[in-house]
Amino acid sequence: MTTPQPQTPPMIHPMAPRFILEQHRRGVLRGEMSAAALFVDISGFSAMTDALMAHGQHGAEVSANIMRAALDPAIDAVFHHGGFVSNQAGDAFTAIFPVSENGSDLDATRNALAAAVRIQAASQEHPVHDSPYGPFPMGVKVGLAFGALQWGIVRSSDDQRAVYYFRGDAIDACAEAEHHARAGDIMLSQAARRLLADTVTVEANGEIGRVVGIHAELPAGQPSPPVAPDLATLSRYFPVSVLTQEHSGEFRWVINVFVALPTVRTETQLHMFLQTVFELQQLYGGFINRLDFGD
């Protein structure tokens, strides 16, 4: 008789923020916070992808490895300084650093700045990523802002599907600040400049400021302990096939639909619209990649 071998549980990709999953499990579906926010954009990704698409599946895996090498240190820096990634879109992501219960606006903003400095230092250590198909240069642009945020979770009527969002002044302002950046820059919104006036020297660019010097010690941060992803809750946001995919990367032909909502202005309107989308998903498949109020 052959003894059955225990199966290795599938790797689960934590594609939704831990913050959202915790709120979902508690049944809390919306809220507000004050927070610092980073918009981090890695330049060079599009040129790399275009070049590697010619090399099929192996090119996709090489692309994924390079993106991990570029993104992992940046995302680690966010968690190291008490933040979390709220949204990722290819070669860019938004990170949020909430004001803690016993902390201050300045504490959150200094944590975000410390993460931004660590991100740029890691990028400058590895400005070029080698591959079997040649070298690919990468640069990082960062926008940092502080302000009010609103977040929410919209669930389908049967609670089998859900989508989350973050929106507000900090999200808008960090994206706007990044638009003024060159590779290697950390750009500050007006509110972040005021909070960090005694911490950094800036070069003014209208209301935006480029960090050109740091003359105060920044928070050291601390490693974030890993938490096992909750597949049952995650699967309401993304298909299990995506959450447990074994491929490190692939190029696949898909149909994308980008929907703008210029007349949706209230929570009630948003919920009504998304219930229709959830019903259409039930009929036709597909999934909502993200609900984006940012860049």
Side-chain angles (χ1 to χ4, degrees), residues 41 115-126 139-142 181-186:
D41 182 35
V117 169
R118 185 183 289 251
I119 288 168
Q120 288 294 16
S123 173
Q124 289 159 15
E125 286 179 8
H126 300 284
V140 177
K141 300 180 290 182
V142 180
R182 300 187 298 265
D185 285 345
I186 300 171

Side-chain angles (χ1 to χ4, degrees), residues 18-228:
R18 186 188 309 170
F19 172 86
I20 288 293
L21 301 181
E22 289 173 352
Q23 302 304 320
H24 190 129
R25 288 192 292 268
R26 293 170 53 203
V28 181
L29 302 183
R30 63 185 59 84
E32 298 182 357
M33 66 172 75
S34 294
L38 292 182
F39 187 85
V40 180
D41 182 35
I42 300 177
S43 58
F45 174 70
S46 297
M48 177 194 71
T49 303
D50 290 343
L52 293 177
M53 281 185 70
H55 301 285
Q57 179 60 31
H58 187 248
E61 293 174 358
V62 170
S63 174
N65 289 338
I66 293 175
M67 283 308 298
R68 274 199 299 272
L71 279 170
D72 282 359
I75 293 172
D76 287 346
V78 168
F79 285 105
H80 189 84
H81 289 282
F84 63 88
V85 175
S86 63
N87 194 354
Q88 182 177 345
D91 57 349
F93 67 83
T94 303
I96 293 173
F97 298 77
V99 176
S100 65
E101 185 175 347
N102 298 316
S104 67
D105 298 355
L106 177 59
D107 292 336
T109 309
R110 283 167 55 86
N111 278 322
L113 177 62
V117 169
R118 185 183 289 251
I119 288 168
Q120 288 294 16
S123 173
Q124 289 159 15
E125 286 179 8
H126 300 284
V128 177
H129 295 265
D130 294 321
S131 83
Y133 307 108
F136 294 99
M138 296 278 175
V140 177
K141 300 180 290 182
V142 180
L144 192 164
F146 183 88
L149 289 180
Q150 300 83 44
W151 61 270
I153 298 170
V154 183
R155 300 185 298 185
S156 62
S157 56
D158 62 2
D159 197 27
Q160 295 306 299
R161 298 177 189 269
V163 64
Y164 68 89
Y165 64 84
F166 291 86
R167 64 180 180 182
D169 294 342
I171 298 288
D172 296 337
C174 72
E176 175 59 27
E178 185 275 332
H179 290 165
H180 297 267
R182 300 187 298 265
D185 285 345
I186 300 171
M187 307 298 289
L188 305 180
S189 72
Q190 187 177 32
R193 283 181 64 181
R194 286 197 300 267
L195 285 165
L196 294 171
D198 295 330
T199 303
V200 300
T201 302
V202 301
E203 177 186 278
N205 183 359
E207 294 183 350
I208 307 298
R210 177 180 291 105
V211 175
V212 295
I214 299 173
H215 43 77
E217 186 175 355
L218 296 178
Q222 57 184 1
S224 177
V227 176

